[in-house]
Amino acid sequence: MSAGHSRDTCARPKGPSPSVARPATPSPDSPFLTGSPGRVFIATALPMTVVMAMNGLLSIADAVFLGRFVGADAMAAVSLAFPVIMLAIALSTLVSGGMSSLLARHLGAGGRTEAEALFARTHGLSLCVSLALIAAFFTVGPRLVAVTAPEAPPVADMARIYLAITILGTPVQFLLAVHADTWRNEGRAGLVAALSVIVTLANIALNALLVIGLGLGVAGAAAGTVLAQALGLALLVGLRLRGSHPVRLAALWRNRWHGGWSRILALGAPVSLGFVGIALVSATAIAAVRASAGDDTAAVIAAYGIVTRLFGFAFLPLMALALSTQSIVGANAGARQHRRCDQVLRLALAIALAYCLGLEALCLGNADAVGGFFVGDRQVIGLTGAILRPMAGLYVLTGPVLVLAFYFQGVGQPLRAAALTLVKPFLLVPVLITALATFRGSASIWYAFPLADAAVGLVAAAILVDAWRRTPATGGFGLATQGRAA
């Protein structure tokens, strides 16, 4: 779907349309439309950052439990499972992200009936996609693990167990994402943050009990995560049963659970495909290591797993900024408050840039010490530093590009969002990894990441210039070629 044909509430290319010149009356169902845009953004992004940081802390805690109490083989197994885990996250984001883009605009425009119908349909879509994923995994998953695993049977066995438990829990994961995004788009990010802290601490406690206390290893880590997600879903559903909310839980039995799925999938696809791209990049890197690392394969995969966990933890606050940008911009675009959209975008870009600058300096200055926090194996510790340094080389560009992509997602321009999120993982990094592994060996493949970051930076610059030229005088960065919503 092209940007010019998206059904949104943005300005026409030309003409003094009254609907653009006079913003719509702010909807009482959205808290994003009044007050200082900066304060609204901070009030939304800060709790979301807590939520994401808690999720990232759990990932770090899992890695410490497995690396310290089970061993480097467990880290290698979980790293081997990473591409499939990212695929599950991609499918979850496909559903909840598409819903979020639509829901923010429905609430911003005062469309409570449409928002509740969307909420119900997304539940049906979540269950269908998660059940299809379970069926696909148990059909081809075990064989896939056997093909990609290094020549170490314990690693392959642990990877199969970890994946089986995790994939069986995906219906809970999908519905948890839907409910959390619904609360966020209703302006209740603080509530989601508080619940996230509770659930994350419960998850860490469960994992400590199952991994260390009961000695269940990777099975305990996977089971603890699923149980914690079930607790989180129960808490969110229970809270929605109490009080009055823009989207009522009764919508689930008052509306159809099917229909309109293609629109949700279309809007969720750009960001979801970004996660698919991460899975592709990880699988490509693991394949390159497996083909050329020889006896060091398991150690390199374990070190790469540590680095991916670190970058995952670092990436989640950026995701909070991006999600907050999407929700606030989407609501204001729905209400035709375009100047507020611009203010939020500028603030989000500045915060993302400062964060990434600090993080890059931290990674480059402490690369050699990081691995020792997770494992005692000296080989894995050294390899962790050798991988981390090049991968962090141009991390400064990651945050601004992500925020810009979610801005375009929020205003209903999936093609621009796709260009910013898909070029790197689907084209640049796999091609560069393959080329470097072929001509320079597996030790050089980590330089594919800064090279790809530089190229994506150029793509982002071109999009920025084009969007600037298409910005109408009434505000709304890059929105001059879009039509009115129906």
Side-chain angles (χ1 to χ4, degrees):
M1 181 187 64
S2 67
H5 291 82
S6 59
R7 294 169 58 85
D8 52 36
T9 53
C10 301
R12 290 184 181 274
K14 298 178 181 179
S17 170
S19 64
V20 174
R22 294 192 298 271
T25 301
S27 165
D29 289 333
S30 177
F32 299 141
L33 306 179
T34 58
S36 164
R39 290 180 180 177
V40 171
F41 182 80
I42 296 300
T44 304
L46 189 58
M48 282 298 299
T49 301
V50 173
V51 172
M52 295 298 186
M54 287 296 102
N55 292 335
L57 178 62
L58 174 61
S59 177
I60 296 296
D62 273 353
V64 172
F65 289 149
L66 294 174
R68 286 289 182 179
F69 297 99
V70 184
D73 280 352
M75 280 301 307
V78 175
S79 302
L80 193 66
F82 182 75
V84 179
I85 299 301
M86 291 307 300
L87 179 61
I89 293 173
L91 292 174
S92 174
T93 306
L94 176 68
V95 176
S96 64
M99 178 206 72
S100 186
S101 179
L102 289 169
L103 186 64
R105 281 178 278 163
H106 285 323
L107 293 176
R112 181 171 182 172
T113 300
E114 292 84 353
E116 290 191 335
L118 173 66
F119 182 66
R121 293 196 302 269
T122 306
H123 277 69
L125 181 57
S126 294
L127 292 177
C128 285
V129 175
S130 59
L131 292 176
L133 177 61
I134 292 172
F137 173 76
F138 284 98
T139 301
V140 302
R143 176 59 182 164
L144 182 64
V145 171
V147 170
T148 58
E151 299 298 330
V155 173
D157 291 341
M158 285 189 285
R160 277 192 290 268
I161 292 169
Y162 184 83
L163 282 172
I165 295 172
T166 301
I167 296 300
L168 283 172
T170 51
V172 175
Q173 175 190 342
F174 279 47
L175 292 176
L176 177 61
V178 168
H179 279 261
D181 275 4
T182 300
W183 283 105
R184 175 170 57 83
N185 281 289
E186 290 174 331
R188 301 297 301 277
L191 171 64
V192 177
L195 287 174
S196 178
V197 172
I198 296 172
V199 171
T200 298
L201 293 177
N203 198 342
I204 292 174
L206 281 168
N207 286 2
L209 172 64
L210 297 174
V211 174
I212 303 172
L214 299 181
L216 296 180
V218 295
T225 299
V226 173
L227 290 173
Q229 288 174 340
L231 172 63
L233 178 60
L235 289 173
L236 290 178
V237 170
L239 287 171
R240 191 161 292 280
L241 284 169
R242 303 176 60 182
S244 177
H245 309 287
V247 177
R248 296 162 295 184
L249 195 65
L252 295 180
W253 51 85
R254 293 176 179 172
N255 293 275
R256 294 181 296 121
W257 281 35
H258 59 87
W261 289 356
S262 60
R263 178 65 169 156
I264 297 173
L265 296 175
L267 285 170
V271 178
S272 172
L273 287 173
F275 286 103
V276 175
I278 293 173
L280 175 63
V281 167
S282 180
T284 304
I286 290 172
V289 169
R290 191 176 185 276
S292 57
D295 294 338
D296 296 332
T297 297
V300 176
I301 291 176
Y304 177 55
I306 292 173
V307 174
T308 56
R309 296 244 174 178
L310 288 171
F311 277 121
F313 178 60
F315 181 77
L316 289 172
L318 291 175
M319 182 62 75
L321 289 176
L323 288 170
S324 300
T325 302
Q326 178 188 9
S327 292
I328 299 171
V329 165
N332 281 277
R336 298 190 290 280
Q337 305 271 352
H338 293 145
R339 292 193 184 280
R340 292 175 63 86
C341 294
D342 295 347
Q343 291 175 291
V344 169
L345 175 61
R346 287 194 295 268
L347 178 60
L349 287 172
I351 294 174
L353 179 62
Y355 173 83
C356 289
L357 273 172
L359 183 65
E360 182 176 324
L362 187 64
C363 287
L364 295 177
N366 298 276
D368 292 326
V370 169
F373 182 72
F374 295 91
V375 295
D377 188 306
R378 291 188 176 277
Q379 182 186 19
V380 175
I381 293 172
L383 288 168
T384 300
I387 294 171
L388 179 59
R389 274 188 295 272
M391 287 184 65
L394 281 177
Y395 195 78
V396 64
L397 299 176
T398 300
V401 169
L402 183 70
V403 165
L404 194 61
F406 272 71
Y407 167 82
F408 288 124
Q409 180 77 358
V411 298
Q413 293 189 7
L415 291 182
R416 281 176 171 167
L420 291 168
T421 56
L422 305 184
V423 171
K424 177 181 173 181
F426 280 96
L427 176 62
L428 296 174
V429 176
V431 170
L432 287 168
I433 286 177
T434 303
L436 289 169
T438 301
F439 297 107
R440 301 297 298 272
S442 62
S444 68
I445 65 174
W446 317 114
Y447 291 93
F449 294 89
L451 291 172
D453 285 332
V456 171
L458 295 176
V459 172
I463 290 176
L464 280 170
V465 170
D466 181 67
W468 181 265
R469 291 173 177 170
R470 297 173 185 270
T471 301
T474 54
F477 183 68
L479 304 184
T481 58
Q482 295 193 191
R484 292 176 56 192

